[in-house]
Amino acid sequence: MKKIDTALDLQKELASERARKKSVGFVPTMGALHQGHLELVKRSAAENDVSVVSIFVNPTQFNDKNDLLKYPRTPDADCRLLEETVADSIVFVPAVEEIYPQPDTRQFAFGSLVTVMEGKFRPGHFNGVAQVVSRLFEIVAPDKAYFGEKDFQQLAVIRELVKQLNLPVQIVACPIVREKSGLAMSSRNARLTAVQREEAAIISQTLFESKRRKNNYPPESLKTWVTDRINAAPGFRIEYFDIVDGFTLQSIQKWEDTEYPVGCVAVFAGEIRLIDNIVYG
Ligand code: PAF
C-alpha cells in the first residue's frame, strides 16, 4: 500500500499508470473504515488495475460543527485494514488545504433531489459532498468510482453531479453491508455504546418487516407503522422515514406511483444519527 498526501504526487503516480493504459478505480471515504468500505475497495480492485482510496473528513459537508469534531478518526487502523485488504492500493490522505487551496464557494443546483430527507434535515450537506467529490474526481480522474447504497440520496446526487459536469467516470453503487444484527455498517456505529449498538438492530428489523407487510398496506400506513415502531424503542427517535421513488426521491402515495419504491430512514440513537434504507422490490 502506498500512502500519498499531496494532489501533485498522486497525479504523478497515476500519470505513470495511465501511460501504461492502466484503469483507475476510486473509493472516496472519510476514514474510520469498516467492512462496508472494504467491500468497495475489494470491488474496485477486482474491476480496475489500480485502486485509490481517499481518506478525508470533508469539513464542508458537515452542517453540525459538533458532528465534524466528533467524527471518528482512526488513520493508523485504516491503513492497516487497507494493507490487509488490497495491499497494492494507493491511499490518498490529503490535508484540508490540499483539497481546498481556496475556500470552495461553488453552489450546485440539484433541485428537488436535495430538498427532501437528508437535504432537508442537513442543509448544505449535499453541496459540501458535491464540492469534495468533484474536487477529488478532478485530482484522481478515475474510470470508475464506488459508493455504498446506504447513502442512497448521496448516490443520486453524485450521479446528478457527474451528469451536470459531464465527467467521464462510471459511478458504481454497492450493496449495504450489515452487521450480524442487521444494523447497516457505518463509521458512526463506533460512537454507539455496546447496548445502543445491539438495540439499533430495531432499525433494520423494522425495515425488513415493513417489506414483508408491503402488500397489505398503502405506503402512508406503512410509513406510520415504521415510524411508530422505531419511536417506541427507548432511546431511539425517528428524524424522518419516507417511501420515495428511488429515481426522483419524491414521496409516493401509492405503490403504483413508481416501479422503484425505496424506504429511507434517519434515526437518532441518543445523539448519534444513523441512516438506512430498503428497496421494496
Ligand atoms: O460517503 C462518504 O463517506 C462521504 O460523503 C464522501 C462521499 C467520502 C464525501 O466526503
Side-chain angles (χ1 to χ4, degrees), residues 244-274:
V244 301
D245 174 318
F247 300 111
T248 65
L249 306 185
Q250 303 310 297
S251 208
I252 61 163
Q253 264 64 55
K254 302 188 297 300
W255 293 113
E256 307 78 62
D257 286 349
T258 176
E259 58 193 31
Y260 186 26
V262 184
C264 298
V265 72
V267 181
F268 278 98
E271 64 163 16
I272 319 297
R273 191 171 179 280
L274 304 170

mmCIF file of all heavy atoms in Angstrom, residues 244-274:
data_model
loop_
_atom_site.group_PDB
_atom_site.id
_atom_site.type_symbol
_atom_site.label_atom_id
_atom_site.label_comp_id
_atom_site.label_asym_id
_atom_site.label_seq_id
_atom_site.Cartn_x
_atom_site.Cartn_y
_atom_site.Cartn_z
ATOM 1 N N VAL A 244 -40.127 6.611 -1.079
ATOM 2 C CA VAL A 244 -39.931 7.527 -2.212
ATOM 3 C C VAL A 244 -39.720 6.753 -3.503
ATOM 4 O O VAL A 244 -39.424 5.553 -3.493
ATOM 5 C CB VAL A 244 -38.697 8.440 -1.964
ATOM 6 C CG1 VAL A 244 -38.862 9.254 -0.684
ATOM 7 C CG2 VAL A 244 -37.392 7.634 -1.912
ATOM 8 N N ASP A 245 -39.850 7.491 -4.593
ATOM 9 C CA ASP A 245 -39.443 6.955 -5.896
ATOM 10 C C ASP A 245 -37.908 6.971 -5.904
ATOM 11 O O ASP A 245 -37.301 8.028 -5.712
ATOM 12 C CB ASP A 245 -40.021 7.881 -6.978
ATOM 13 C CG ASP A 245 -39.556 7.512 -8.377
ATOM 14 O OD1 ASP A 245 -38.350 7.193 -8.551
ATOM 15 O OD2 ASP A 245 -40.364 7.553 -9.292
ATOM 16 N N GLY A 246 -37.301 5.810 -6.103
ATOM 17 C CA GLY A 246 -35.845 5.695 -5.996
ATOM 18 C C GLY A 246 -35.081 6.519 -7.032
ATOM 19 O O GLY A 246 -33.881 6.739 -6.865
ATOM 20 N N PHE A 247 -35.774 6.983 -8.081
ATOM 21 C CA PHE A 247 -35.083 7.810 -9.086
ATOM 22 C C PHE A 247 -35.202 9.296 -8.757
ATOM 23 O O PHE A 247 -34.220 10.027 -8.786
ATOM 24 C CB PHE A 247 -35.665 7.561 -10.489
ATOM 25 C CG PHE A 247 -35.529 6.129 -10.929
ATOM 26 C CD1 PHE A 247 -36.649 5.308 -11.049
ATOM 27 C CD2 PHE A 247 -34.283 5.589 -11.220
ATOM 28 C CE1 PHE A 247 -36.522 3.980 -11.444
ATOM 29 C CE2 PHE A 247 -34.151 4.259 -11.613
ATOM 30 C CZ PHE A 247 -35.273 3.458 -11.719
ATOM 31 N N THR A 248 -36.434 9.733 -8.397
ATOM 32 C CA THR A 248 -36.642 11.183 -8.183
ATOM 33 C C THR A 248 -36.502 11.557 -6.707
ATOM 34 O O THR A 248 -36.388 12.727 -6.367
ATOM 35 C CB THR A 248 -38.057 11.589 -8.628
ATOM 36 O OG1 THR A 248 -39.012 10.909 -7.757
ATOM 37 C CG2 THR A 248 -38.322 11.211 -10.076
ATOM 38 N N LEU A 249 -36.561 10.569 -5.820
ATOM 39 C CA LEU A 249 -36.520 10.737 -4.353
ATOM 40 C C LEU A 249 -37.762 11.443 -3.797
ATOM 41 O O LEU A 249 -37.770 11.854 -2.634
ATOM 42 C CB LEU A 249 -35.254 11.482 -3.901
ATOM 43 C CG LEU A 249 -33.919 10.900 -4.365
ATOM 44 C CD1 LEU A 249 -32.766 11.665 -3.740
ATOM 45 C CD2 LEU A 249 -33.811 9.417 -4.022
ATOM 46 N N GLN A 250 -38.808 11.544 -4.624
ATOM 47 C CA GLN A 250 -40.028 12.201 -4.127
ATOM 48 C C GLN A 250 -40.943 11.148 -3.512
ATOM 49 O O GLN A 250 -41.034 10.006 -3.991
ATOM 50 C CB GLN A 250 -40.737 12.956 -5.268
ATOM 51 C CG GLN A 250 -39.847 13.999 -5.956
ATOM 52 C CD GLN A 250 -39.145 14.942 -4.979
ATOM 53 O OE1 GLN A 250 -39.807 15.694 -4.264
ATOM 54 N NE2 GLN A 250 -37.813 14.906 -4.937
ATOM 55 N N SER A 251 -41.608 11.589 -2.452
ATOM 56 C CA SER A 251 -42.528 10.747 -1.700
ATOM 57 C C SER A 251 -43.601 10.138 -2.610
ATOM 58 O O SER A 251 -44.092 10.828 -3.507
ATOM 59 C CB SER A 251 -43.207 11.709 -0.715
ATOM 60 O OG SER A 251 -43.606 11.051 0.402
ATOM 61 N N ILE A 252 -43.942 8.880 -2.368
ATOM 62 C CA ILE A 252 -45.043 8.295 -3.155
ATOM 63 C C ILE A 252 -46.259 8.102 -2.254
ATOM 64 O O ILE A 252 -46.135 7.923 -1.042
ATOM 65 C CB ILE A 252 -44.646 6.955 -3.825
ATOM 66 C CG1 ILE A 252 -44.268 5.902 -2.777
ATOM 67 C CG2 ILE A 252 -43.548 7.145 -4.838
ATOM 68 C CD1 ILE A 252 -44.271 4.484 -3.302
ATOM 69 N N GLN A 253 -47.434 8.153 -2.873
ATOM 70 C CA GLN A 253 -48.677 7.931 -2.131
ATOM 71 C C GLN A 253 -49.219 6.527 -2.374
ATOM 72 O O GLN A 253 -49.816 5.923 -1.511
ATOM 73 C CB GLN A 253 -49.742 8.957 -2.550
ATOM 74 C CG GLN A 253 -49.813 10.184 -1.624
ATOM 75 C CD GLN A 253 -48.524 10.993 -1.657
ATOM 76 O OE1 GLN A 253 -48.084 11.402 -2.723
ATOM 77 N NE2 GLN A 253 -47.899 11.192 -0.510
ATOM 78 N N LYS A 254 -48.984 6.040 -3.624
ATOM 79 C CA LYS A 254 -49.474 4.702 -3.992
ATOM 80 C C LYS A 254 -48.284 3.896 -4.507
ATOM 81 O O LYS A 254 -47.389 4.452 -5.147
ATOM 82 C CB LYS A 254 -50.514 4.802 -5.122
ATOM 83 C CG LYS A 254 -51.723 5.658 -4.792
ATOM 84 C CD LYS A 254 -52.799 5.559 -5.864
ATOM 85 C CE LYS A 254 -52.427 6.043 -7.243
ATOM 86 N NZ LYS A 254 -52.033 7.427 -7.416
ATOM 87 N N TRP A 255 -48.318 2.592 -4.278
ATOM 88 C CA TRP A 255 -47.214 1.754 -4.760
ATOM 89 C C TRP A 255 -47.065 1.880 -6.268
ATOM 90 O O TRP A 255 -45.964 1.826 -6.808
ATOM 91 C CB TRP A 255 -47.421 0.284 -4.366
ATOM 92 C CG TRP A 255 -47.342 0.066 -2.876
ATOM 93 C CD1 TRP A 255 -48.350 -0.314 -2.054
ATOM 94 C CD2 TRP A 255 -46.184 0.230 -2.038
ATOM 95 N NE1 TRP A 255 -47.911 -0.385 -0.748
ATOM 96 C CE2 TRP A 255 -46.582 -0.066 -0.712
ATOM 97 C CE3 TRP A 255 -44.871 0.602 -2.271
ATOM 98 C CZ2 TRP A 255 -45.696 -0.003 0.364
ATOM 99 C CZ3 TRP A 255 -43.980 0.666 -1.201
ATOM 100 C CH2 TRP A 255 -44.396 0.361 0.093
ATOM 101 N N GLU A 256 -48.189 2.097 -6.969
ATOM 102 C CA GLU A 256 -48.140 2.186 -8.442
ATOM 103 C C GLU A 256 -47.462 3.477 -8.914
ATOM 104 O O GLU A 256 -47.206 3.632 -10.116
ATOM 105 C CB GLU A 256 -49.554 2.147 -9.066
ATOM 106 C CG GLU A 256 -50.450 0.982 -8.647
ATOM 107 C CD GLU A 256 -51.051 1.184 -7.269
ATOM 108 O OE1 GLU A 256 -51.803 2.151 -7.080
ATOM 109 O OE2 GLU A 256 -50.746 0.368 -6.351
ATOM 110 N N ASP A 257 -47.175 4.393 -7.990
ATOM 111 C CA ASP A 257 -46.534 5.653 -8.407
ATOM 112 C C ASP A 257 -45.125 5.428 -8.959
ATOM 113 O O ASP A 257 -44.568 6.310 -9.621
ATOM 114 C CB ASP A 257 -46.435 6.633 -7.216
ATOM 115 C CG ASP A 257 -47.789 7.238 -6.880
ATOM 116 O OD1 ASP A 257 -48.728 7.071 -7.681
ATOM 117 O OD2 ASP A 257 -47.907 7.868 -5.802
ATOM 118 N N THR A 258 -44.513 4.298 -8.619
ATOM 119 C CA THR A 258 -43.142 4.050 -9.098
ATOM 120 C C THR A 258 -42.872 2.555 -9.205
ATOM 121 O O THR A 258 -43.482 1.756 -8.495
ATOM 122 C CB THR A 258 -42.088 4.671 -8.147
ATOM 123 O OG1 THR A 258 -40.784 4.307 -8.616
ATOM 124 C CG2 THR A 258 -42.228 4.170 -6.714
ATOM 125 N N GLU A 259 -41.947 2.219 -10.088
ATOM 126 C CA GLU A 259 -41.526 0.800 -10.116
ATOM 127 C C GLU A 259 -40.302 0.585 -9.230
ATOM 128 O O GLU A 259 -39.784 -0.523 -9.135
ATOM 129 C CB GLU A 259 -41.233 0.380 -11.562
ATOM 130 C CG GLU A 259 -40.161 1.224 -12.214
ATOM 131 C CD GLU A 259 -40.105 1.020 -13.715
ATOM 132 O OE1 GLU A 259 -41.169 0.749 -14.293
ATOM 133 O OE2 GLU A 259 -38.998 1.139 -14.268
ATOM 134 N N TYR A 260 -39.859 1.663 -8.565
ATOM 135 C CA TYR A 260 -38.644 1.575 -7.745
ATOM 136 C C TYR A 260 -38.889 2.257 -6.390
ATOM 137 O O TYR A 260 -38.323 3.301 -6.093
ATOM 138 C CB TYR A 260 -37.514 2.252 -8.531
ATOM 139 C CG TYR A 260 -36.125 2.154 -7.931
ATOM 140 C CD1 TYR A 260 -35.753 1.113 -7.090
ATOM 141 C CD2 TYR A 260 -35.167 3.109 -8.259
ATOM 142 C CE1 TYR A 260 -34.476 1.047 -6.562
ATOM 143 C CE2 TYR A 260 -33.874 3.056 -7.747
ATOM 144 C CZ TYR A 260 -33.537 2.019 -6.891
ATOM 145 O OH TYR A 260 -32.262 1.952 -6.380
ATOM 146 N N PRO A 261 -39.793 1.663 -5.547
ATOM 147 C CA PRO A 261 -40.057 2.285 -4.253
ATOM 148 C C PRO A 261 -38.952 1.956 -3.240
ATOM 149 O O PRO A 261 -38.526 0.796 -3.135
ATOM 150 C CB PRO A 261 -41.387 1.650 -3.809
ATOM 151 C CG PRO A 261 -41.549 0.419 -4.633
ATOM 152 C CD PRO A 261 -40.599 0.448 -5.790
ATOM 153 N N VAL A 262 -38.500 2.981 -2.533
ATOM 154 C CA VAL A 262 -37.427 2.798 -1.547
ATOM 155 C C VAL A 262 -37.842 3.499 -0.242
ATOM 156 O O VAL A 262 -38.314 4.639 -0.279
ATOM 157 C CB VAL A 262 -36.093 3.413 -2.049
ATOM 158 C CG1 VAL A 262 -34.962 3.134 -1.065
ATOM 159 C CG2 VAL A 262 -35.731 2.863 -3.423
ATOM 160 N N GLY A 263 -37.670 2.800 0.864
ATOM 161 C CA GLY A 263 -37.947 3.406 2.175
ATOM 162 C C GLY A 263 -36.635 3.910 2.752
ATOM 163 O O GLY A 263 -35.677 3.143 2.881
ATOM 164 N N CYS A 264 -36.585 5.187 3.098
ATOM 165 C CA CYS A 264 -35.341 5.781 3.623
ATOM 166 C C CYS A 264 -35.604 6.331 5.014
ATOM 167 O O CYS A 264 -36.594 7.032 5.238
ATOM 168 C CB CYS A 264 -34.888 6.936 2.741
ATOM 169 S SG CYS A 264 -34.511 6.437 1.055
ATOM 170 N N VAL A 265 -34.673 6.050 5.925
ATOM 171 C CA VAL A 265 -34.892 6.451 7.309
ATOM 172 C C VAL A 265 -33.647 7.120 7.900
ATOM 173 O O VAL A 265 -32.510 6.765 7.538
ATOM 174 C CB VAL A 265 -35.293 5.198 8.152
ATOM 175 C CG1 VAL A 265 -34.117 4.255 8.380
ATOM 176 C CG2 VAL A 265 -35.911 5.581 9.477
ATOM 177 N N ALA A 266 -33.888 8.098 8.771
ATOM 178 C CA ALA A 266 -32.817 8.655 9.618
ATOM 179 C C ALA A 266 -33.325 8.580 11.048
ATOM 180 O O ALA A 266 -34.464 8.964 11.330
ATOM 181 C CB ALA A 266 -32.507 10.096 9.244
ATOM 182 N N VAL A 267 -32.478 8.061 11.929
ATOM 183 C CA VAL A 267 -32.885 7.814 13.316
ATOM 184 C C VAL A 267 -31.786 8.307 14.250
ATOM 185 O O VAL A 267 -30.598 8.093 13.972
ATOM 186 C CB VAL A 267 -33.041 6.275 13.552
ATOM 187 C CG1 VAL A 267 -33.478 5.994 14.982
ATOM 188 C CG2 VAL A 267 -34.014 5.667 12.567
ATOM 189 N N PHE A 268 -32.196 8.952 15.327
ATOM 190 C CA PHE A 268 -31.231 9.277 16.372
ATOM 191 C C PHE A 268 -31.214 8.162 17.405
ATOM 192 O O PHE A 268 -32.271 7.789 17.940
ATOM 193 C CB PHE A 268 -31.592 10.594 17.064
ATOM 194 C CG PHE A 268 -31.134 11.797 16.303
ATOM 195 C CD1 PHE A 268 -32.011 12.496 15.484
ATOM 196 C CD2 PHE A 268 -29.811 12.216 16.384
ATOM 197 C CE1 PHE A 268 -31.572 13.602 14.770
ATOM 198 C CE2 PHE A 268 -29.365 13.320 15.663
ATOM 199 C CZ PHE A 268 -30.256 14.012 14.856
ATOM 200 N N ALA A 269 -30.015 7.628 17.673
ATOM 201 C CA ALA A 269 -29.824 6.722 18.807
ATOM 202 C C ALA A 269 -29.073 7.579 19.811
ATOM 203 O O ALA A 269 -27.873 7.839 19.638
ATOM 204 C CB ALA A 269 -28.980 5.527 18.387
ATOM 205 N N GLY A 270 -29.779 8.107 20.805
ATOM 206 C CA GLY A 270 -29.162 9.136 21.653
ATOM 207 C C GLY A 270 -28.833 10.317 20.760
ATOM 208 O O GLY A 270 -29.693 10.808 20.034
ATOM 209 N N GLU A 271 -27.537 10.715 20.729
ATOM 210 C CA GLU A 271 -27.191 11.846 19.857
ATOM 211 C C GLU A 271 -26.547 11.399 18.539
ATOM 212 O O GLU A 271 -26.147 12.207 17.718
ATOM 213 C CB GLU A 271 -26.272 12.837 20.600
ATOM 214 C CG GLU A 271 -24.924 12.253 20.993
ATOM 215 C CD GLU A 271 -23.897 13.336 21.335
ATOM 216 O OE1 GLU A 271 -24.308 14.487 21.554
ATOM 217 O OE2 GLU A 271 -22.697 13.003 21.376
ATOM 218 N N ILE A 272 -26.473 10.074 18.334
ATOM 219 C CA ILE A 272 -25.834 9.563 17.112
ATOM 220 C C ILE A 272 -26.901 9.369 16.041
ATOM 221 O O ILE A 272 -27.901 8.681 16.249
ATOM 222 C CB ILE A 272 -25.127 8.197 17.350
ATOM 223 C CG1 ILE A 272 -24.391 8.152 18.691
ATOM 224 C CG2 ILE A 272 -24.218 7.837 16.182
ATOM 225 C CD1 ILE A 272 -23.282 9.104 18.859
ATOM 226 N N ARG A 273 -26.626 9.939 14.887
ATOM 227 C CA ARG A 273 -27.613 9.889 13.808
ATOM 228 C C ARG A 273 -27.253 8.769 12.836
ATOM 229 O O ARG A 273 -26.138 8.723 12.312
ATOM 230 C CB ARG A 273 -27.613 11.234 13.090
ATOM 231 C CG ARG A 273 -28.742 11.452 12.131
ATOM 232 C CD ARG A 273 -28.710 12.906 11.671
ATOM 233 N NE ARG A 273 -29.764 13.178 10.734
ATOM 234 C CZ ARG A 273 -29.712 12.864 9.453
ATOM 235 N NH1 ARG A 273 -28.648 12.253 8.965
ATOM 236 N NH2 ARG A 273 -30.718 13.162 8.660
ATOM 237 N N LEU A 274 -28.208 7.867 12.612
ATOM 238 C CA LEU A 274 -27.969 6.711 11.738
ATOM 239 C C LEU A 274 -28.939 6.765 10.560
ATOM 240 O O LEU A 274 -30.084 7.201 10.728
ATOM 241 C CB LEU A 274 -28.191 5.416 12.526
ATOM 242 C CG LEU A 274 -27.372 5.254 13.808
ATOM 243 C CD1 LEU A 274 -27.858 4.047 14.610
ATOM 244 C CD2 LEU A 274 -25.885 5.111 13.485
#
